[in-house]
Structures are given as structure tokens and as C-alpha cells.
Amino acid sequence: MSRIIAGAAGGLRLASVPGDTTRPTTDRVKESLFSKLESYGVLEGARVLDVYGGSGALGCEAASRGAASVEIVDKYPKAVRTIQRNVDAVVRACSVSGLNPQVKVRHSNARTYLSGALDVWDIVFVDPPYALPNEQVVEDLQQIAPHLAEGAIVVVERSARDSEPVWPKSVRRFAAKNHGETAVYYLEPDAAELSAESVLGIAEKEN
């Protein structure tokens, strides 16, 4: 069973999704990646998207550590129910410490959610099943990139056995670390490659 590593809800045990449709991030990997995010100073007050939620562990950890808003997306009904259970517990724990993170759970597949998104994010977690092809991950990143704030970070988890994805030009990998079977990639928006058309696309959605 996973747990919240640190923050207002630190130590809280999280429910797991029944069955084998999800692959939870281990506490060891989670602790490493959140330590890195905290070293970059991006968590406090962050707007966060967890686009392949699973149990919601990554989004819940971000909320516990001071994120202002978190959206957690998953297409599996069992996962969505588990995420909501975990979110409710984390929000209650945060409120005791005077924190009030706005955490929303979305029942949707990633592509549908991203195609209609209007938000801007400071942190995005992309942790799909390892079986999802790299090409789909790249398509997700192409949709995510126009919504990234200046200084935003995208964290992508893939199998360490697979080759590194060929990242779209709109993002740039600046760090990577292997944790056993898991490879974690850290990306940032490449401002020079984010075209005016992408910005215009967001504006058109708002109108």
C-alpha cells in the first residue's frame, strides 16, 4: 500500500486500485521525484495535472506538499473511485493544517481531457501504463505543451527497459533518472518552439 511521503498529509495510507489495470508509482520513486521538484521550488502554490491518475498518489502527494490546485484524470471507473477516496482523505488531512488545496477528479481518457483543456499548469505528471506506446505519450505531450506555464516541469515515467521517447520539439528533457524498472524524465517547455499557433489554439477554445 502506498502512502503520502511528506507534507500536511504525510504518513497517510492511500487506497490501491483493485485489479491490474494500473501500475502505482513506488514510494521510493515518488520520494525521489518529489525531492527533486522541491529542490526546484515549483511545488508551493502550483497548478498540477496528473493525467494518468491510477490511485491518485502523485496528485495527492502534490496537494499534501502545498500545491494550490490539482486535477487527477483517469478513464477506469475503479481508479476514479479510488482516487476520490484518496483525495477526500488527503484534503481532510490538509484542512487540519490550514491548507485548502482544490483537488478535482476527472473521469476521462487522457486524449479527450487534454483536447478540451483550458488550464495552465506548473507541474504535469504523465505516468501511463508501460504498455502505452511512446508515440501516444508524445502526442499527449504535444497537447500539454501549450498549457505549460513559464518554468513548468513535466514528469514522465516509462519502463527503464524501453528506449527513451523522441520528445516533441515543444519540450526539452533536462534531467533523467532510473529507479530499477522505472525511468523518470524531467521536461520543460521550449519557448522557442512553442508557436503562436499553439497560443492561438488555447484562445480559440476559450471563445
Side-chain angles (χ1 to χ4, degrees):
M1 180 177 286
S2 182
R3 64 187 175 91
I4 298 295
I5 303 296
L12 181 71
R13 295 288 178 178
L14 298 174
S16 300
V17 181
D20 57 1
T21 56
T22 62
R23 175 192 48 77
T25 300
T26 67
D27 283 352
R28 182 169 67 91
V29 174
K30 190 166 55 177
E31 185 168 12
S32 174
L33 74 85
F34 273 95
S35 293
K36 187 176 285 290
L37 291 177
E38 288 197 325
S39 73
Y40 296 140
V42 296
L43 274 168
E44 188 69 30
R47 297 159 292 183
V48 178
L49 172 66
D50 184 356
V51 76
Y52 289 91
S55 68
L58 295 177
C60 286
E61 185 77 31
S64 177
R65 294 185 187 231
S69 63
V70 180
E71 290 197 78
I72 308 176
V73 181
D74 205 287
K75 69 178 182 179
Y76 295 109
K78 288 182 180 179
V80 171
R81 289 193 292 271
T82 301
I83 294 167
Q84 190 63 65
R85 176 180 170 186
N86 288 331
V87 164
D88 291 344
V90 168
V91 169
R92 283 195 299 271
C94 287
S95 67
V96 173
S97 299
L99 294 182
N100 184 34
Q102 302 301 303
V103 187
K104 298 179 180 178
V105 182
R106 307 295 191 188
H107 185 188
S108 175
N109 66 48
R111 180 175 294 182
T112 300
Y113 175 81
L114 292 171
S115 67
L118 300 175
D119 297 322
V120 174
W121 303 300
D122 302 297
I123 300 172
V124 180
F125 298 111
V126 182
D127 181 19
Y130 286 162
L132 190 79
N134 277 348
E135 291 77 12
Q136 179 60 59
V137 175
V138 170
E139 289 180 15
D140 291 343
L141 291 169
Q142 288 171 329
Q143 289 185 292
I144 289 167
H147 300 270
L148 296 175
E150 183 177 357
I153 294 177
V154 182
V155 181
V156 180
E157 290 188 43
R158 301 298 287 153
S159 171
R161 296 175 180 269
D162 295 337
S163 59
E164 180 176 348
V166 178
W167 309 111
K169 292 182 178 180
S170 51
V171 295
R172 183 183 72 87
R173 177 179 66 77
F174 66 89
K177 185 175 179 59
N178 281 8
H179 303 268
E181 293 293 316
T182 301
V184 182
Y185 302 100
Y186 299 87
L187 316 176
E188 62 185 358
D190 190 331
E193 293 290 346
L194 282 172
S195 67
E197 290 183 4
S198 297
V199 177
L200 179 61
I202 295 176
E204 287 176 346
K205 288 180 183 178
E206 293 176 338
N207 295 329

